[in-house]
Amino acid sequence: MSNRSFLLKGYLLVSLSIISLISVLLVRDPSRAILPNPATDISNSTAKGKQTVVFAGGCFWGMEAVFEHLKGVSDVISGFSGGSAATADYEVVSSGLTGHAESVKITYDPSEISYGQLLKIYFFVAHDPTQLNRQGPDSGEQYRSVIFFANGEQKRVALDYIHQLNKAHIFHKQIVTQLLPLKGFYQADKYHQDFIDRNPNYPYVVVNDLPKLAQLKSQFPNLYK
């Protein structure tokens, strides 16, 4: 959402968004109908009670909507991670100079959905992990792909899955997702929370985000709610 006003998000970038969708289809191998599960995961015996994970991968509106539609996920908050509390402001983050990435904090029940399953949705639905410092029409470090791990297990499982996907050449390009320790998560203004639920006809949303929800429902019907 940096380098653009909200109106630009809506109307002037629709053509770029369509081009970005086409590029995603070219990056992902359509011949691979079966998307691999992570070879390793965090066991239910280790992850007891509700857990949280923080992902970043482009505009947080779409990321939030995707994970809100997963069974076992009870809450998703849009915000910022990677920088300091002093710069965790939308307009400041939009400069791309704060170290922050637009992120989502996901609260989930590991008895209903595992960390590995969340990773699978993150890589195959929520965003394109092969794009460096951008996502679709949005460019800048604040749109980079990052997993902010809260502990060693989250880091290990995510790193193993990235290696697994790269080795299997699931994408035509290497995954560029960063793994960084979670040092803080700062909630964005209320205006950004549940944005797609409140603005389903917003042009940027229609072009960039609603197709993700359709993909989620089609490819992962057992997880969709």
Side-chain angles (χ1 to χ4, degrees):
M1 285 169 285
S2 70
N3 305 323
R4 66 185 181 208
S5 67
F6 288 125
L7 285 177
L8 279 176
K9 279 186 71 172
Y11 293 98
L12 299 183
L13 292 180
V14 167
S15 60
L16 288 177
S17 300
I18 294 173
I19 292 172
S20 72
L21 287 176
I22 294 172
S23 68
V24 167
L25 292 176
L26 292 175
V27 168
R28 302 182 184 187
D29 188 342
S31 68
R32 299 180 183 273
I34 300 177
L35 305 177
N37 292 315
T40 60
D41 205 341
I42 299 176
S43 68
N44 287 344
S45 61
T46 301
K48 295 181 178 179
K50 289 187 175 181
Q51 304 290 310
T52 60
V53 62
V54 175
F55 292 149
C59 176
F60 43 32
W61 295 349
M63 291 280 289
E64 179 192 60
V66 167
F67 288 101
E68 281 181 337
H69 280 275
L70 291 178
K71 295 176 182 177
V73 171
S74 58
D75 191 34
V76 186
I77 300 173
S78 292
F80 312 100
S81 291
S84 68
T87 59
D89 173 82
Y90 174 76
E91 296 298 333
V92 180
V93 171
S94 293
S95 70
L97 302 174
T98 65
H100 278 298
E102 291 195 14
S103 309
V104 291
K105 181 179 180 181
I106 303 159
T107 301
Y108 69 100
D109 184 343
S111 68
E112 297 183 55
I113 188 169
S114 72
Y115 176 68
Q117 288 174 306
L118 292 174
L119 285 175
K120 187 173 183 178
I121 299 300
Y122 172 70
F123 283 116
F124 289 110
V125 179
H127 82 311
D128 176 0
T130 69
Q131 293 198 39
L132 181 63
N133 292 334
R134 70 172 301 115
Q135 201 62 212
D138 305 322
S139 62
E141 190 179 63
Q142 69 272 31
Y143 299 111
R144 68 192 188 275
S145 175
V146 191
I147 295 171
F148 293 98
F149 57 87
N151 52 55
E153 282 193 301
Q154 287 188 357
K155 179 182 180 181
R156 174 183 57 82
V157 172
L159 188 60
D160 286 350
Y161 197 31
I162 290 172
H163 289 329
Q164 177 186 343
L165 295 176
N166 280 333
K167 185 177 180 180
H169 302 290
I170 299 301
F171 299 94
H172 290 310
K173 296 180 181 179
Q174 291 288 296
I175 292 171
V176 297
T177 303
Q178 297 177 336
L179 271 71
L180 298 175
L182 178 63
K183 296 182 179 179
F185 176 84
Y186 309 97
Q187 183 169 334
D189 291 340
K190 186 177 180 181
Y191 175 82
H192 295 291
Q193 309 303 325
D194 301 309
F195 185 88
I196 291 179
D197 282 346
R198 294 183 290 102
N199 302 275
N201 297 318
Y202 199 85
Y204 178 92
V205 167
V206 171
V207 173
N208 293 280
D209 299 323
L210 296 189
K212 295 179 182 179
L213 296 181
Q215 179 189 354
L216 178 65
K217 187 174 184 179
S218 174
Q219 289 189 301
F220 300 92
N222 293 334
L223 294 177
Y224 188 87
K225 70 175 180 182

